[in-house]
Amino acid sequence: MKTRFCRLSGGPEDEEIYREAGAIIREGGLVAFPTETVYGLGGNGLSGASSAKIYAAKGRPSDNPLILHIAGMEELPALVSDIPDAAKRLAEAFWPGPMTLIFRKSSLVPPETTGGLDTVAVRMPSHPAAQRFIRAAGVPIAAPSANLSGRPSPTTAKHVREDLDGRIDMILDGGPADIGLESTIIDVTEETPVILRPGYIGREALETLLGKVELDRAVFAEPAQGVKPKAPGMKYRHYAPKAEMTLVEGAFAAEAILKEAAASARAGRRTGILCSEETKDRYSPLAEELGAEGFSLKLFCAGRRSDPESIAHRLFGLLRQFDEDGIEVVWAESFDEGGIGTAVMNRLRKAAGYRIMRT
Ligand code: AMP
Ligand code: MG
């Protein structure tokens, strides 16, 4: 299949592109589109056949449900069997935006879209291109992240192309995603709302609005502990670069990283350090020293610790960069939890396959 690549300008001249994208969806095809979190791979969410195509294009296990994307509140009632009070308040506060809510589904939503569950995930993205695309399609858009299963979620149209060129009908390029991490998923079907996947909207902000909000125990449990996550997708190996990545935690992380990175580089392995603006100068003399000896140590700066959003924004791009640069071993700093930091650490632990060194 030939994949059409369309760059969006943001102006009225994009109208024709949206019209074509909408027609592709109605005919059962697949279109990747930008959102404020990451790029999505969209199909007609009310068609079981379209959802089946999404799983096939991504190589995604079919028990891992998709998120339905809507453009306005008026689209919600048809998709769900009821709208709990907490959902109304959350939607009022955070939609359109980086938040996904789990509802009991209506009979309109096919089982393929929800991986056979009787619940459905719904999100209203704020990105203007996502909004225009959904409106042009005229149906709710089922969309997981637009990456091959197991790869980091795409934050640019180039990432989408790397993974899905030739496998889908169209890619809409709206520039880099603002946030860079997937939405916060909240289950509102229980008495107390439960965060199934941490994201940009942190637990603190949700508790300010709703009182008590729980975090699914599986979010920070290693798979070996056998806690079954409520979001089926959270059980899969994810985001992992080809490199063997170790997350180094604790007060003496920098010292440990210096020692371990020097050892891996001197053992002849292409080594990377994932660090921050505030700490990178601690490692650069070592990188120079090893370079002079003919070994390879490269620094990857994720962003500023003082600005966790900058780290979220760059993280997935860096995980892909490791592979592009042929890095074999990564020693990664860890970051403060709380707010979006909780989501950053959740993704990093998964990317490291739970290989964690505590100092
Ligand atoms: P992705 O957009 O690729 O990050 O994938 C969607 C995420 O939403 C996956 O982790 C799914 O497991 C989760 N999800 C979708 N529908 C449901 C649902 N009905 N209940 C729980 N989790 C869901
Ligand atoms: Mg995904």
Side-chain angles (χ1 to χ4, degrees):
M1 172 189 299
K2 174 118 181 73
T3 302
R4 277 193 58 197
F5 194 86
C6 298
R7 192 156 285 131
L8 299 168
S9 66
E13 61 278 16
D14 290 343
E15 216 36 57
E16 184 54 31
I17 300 176
Y18 289 116
R19 230 193 324 273
E20 285 175 36
I24 291 173
I25 294 295
R26 286 189 302 278
E27 286 157 19
L30 304 184
V31 177
F33 64 102
T35 83
E36 68 276 21
T37 58
V38 301
Y39 273 71
L41 173 58
N44 179 353
L46 301 184
S47 153
S50 291
S51 291
K53 268 196 190 175
I54 292 177
Y55 293 110
K58 281 182 58 105
R60 179 179 176 109
S62 60
D63 70 343
N64 186 2
L66 311 176
I67 294 173
L68 282 184
H69 292 69
I70 58 175
M73 231 18 212
E74 69 285 357
E75 297 173 50
L76 184 63
L79 306 175
V80 305
S81 69
D82 75 316
I83 305 178
D85 192 49
K88 285 184 195 134
R89 294 169 64 191
L90 286 167
E92 176 104 351
F94 298 113
W95 273 354
M99 175 184 76
T100 298
L101 298 178
I102 308 291
F103 298 89
R104 302 218 168 278
K105 81 175 193 70
S106 75
S107 56
L108 195 63
V109 182
E112 289 86 348
T113 300
T114 65
L117 297 178
D118 57 6
T119 53
V120 61
V122 184
R123 175 162 112 81
M124 190 194 299
S126 63
H127 195 297
Q131 286 268 339
R132 288 174 75 181
F133 166 58
I134 299 165
R135 296 231 184 257
V139 289
I141 299 289
S145 49
N147 50 284
L148 286 175
S149 199
R151 298 262 290 157
S153 299
T155 55
T156 65
K158 177 175 164 277
H159 296 159
V160 179
R161 205 174 202 172
E162 282 165 13
D163 282 14
L164 298 176
D165 196 16
R167 302 171 76 92
I168 62 177
D169 298 283
M170 191 184 233
I171 298 173
L172 301 178
D173 180 358
D178 263 355
I179 294 176
L181 290 185
E182 306 89 341
S183 58
T184 307
I185 302 182
I186 309 158
D187 184 349
V188 286
T189 63
E190 307 281 341
E191 185 71 17
T192 306
V194 186
I195 300 171
L196 306 190
R197 176 174 75 184
Y200 180 80
I201 300 173
R203 184 177 187 173
E204 302 80 357
L206 299 173
E207 291 199 319
T208 304
L209 186 74
L210 297 178
K212 191 170 166 47
V213 173
E214 283 172 6
L215 182 65
D216 186 14
R217 277 204 316 129
V219 167
F220 281 115
E222 297 182 24
Q225 290 174 279
V227 184
K228 187 167 177 252
K230 291 190 180 157
M234 298 289 280
K235 73 173 176 280
Y236 291 107
R237 189 178 151 84
H238 233 132
Y239 314 122
K242 294 192 186 97
E244 178 190 291
M245 175 160 142
T246 305
L247 188 57
V248 186
E249 301 186 344
F252 301 100
E255 289 78 358
I257 290 173
L258 282 167
K259 183 163 160 271
E260 298 295 341
S264 358
R266 288 203 171 95
R269 303 174 82 189
R270 291 180 65 84
T271 303
I273 293 177
L274 180 68
C275 56
S276 57
E277 284 296 342
E278 289 89 340
T279 55
K280 67 175 196 284
D281 290 342
R282 297 192 66 172
Y283 308 112
S284 39
L286 176 66
E288 275 173 35
E289 186 185 321
L290 286 164
E293 294 171 28
F295 297 114
S296 168
L297 174 64
K298 192 167 170 188
L299 306 185
F300 296 85
C301 184
R304 294 175 298 284
R305 286 176 175 277
S306 57
D307 174 16
E309 290 183 21
S310 69
I311 295 169
H313 182 72
R314 295 200 58 193
L315 183 63
F316 287 154
L318 286 184
L319 294 178
R320 284 174 178 261
Q321 190 68 44
F322 296 152
D323 287 356
E324 267 179 40
D325 293 353
I327 301 291
E328 295 166 287
V329 184
V330 176
W331 297 93
E333 290 186 349
S334 58
F335 298 92
D336 291 341
E337 310 233 355
I340 198 169
T342 304
V344 166
M345 288 306 291
N346 169 254
R347 309 306 192 273
L348 264 177
R349 291 194 179 114
K350 283 182 169 234
Y354 299 92
R355 205 176 297 109
I356 296 168
M357 177 190 262
R358 297 197 167 84
T359 64

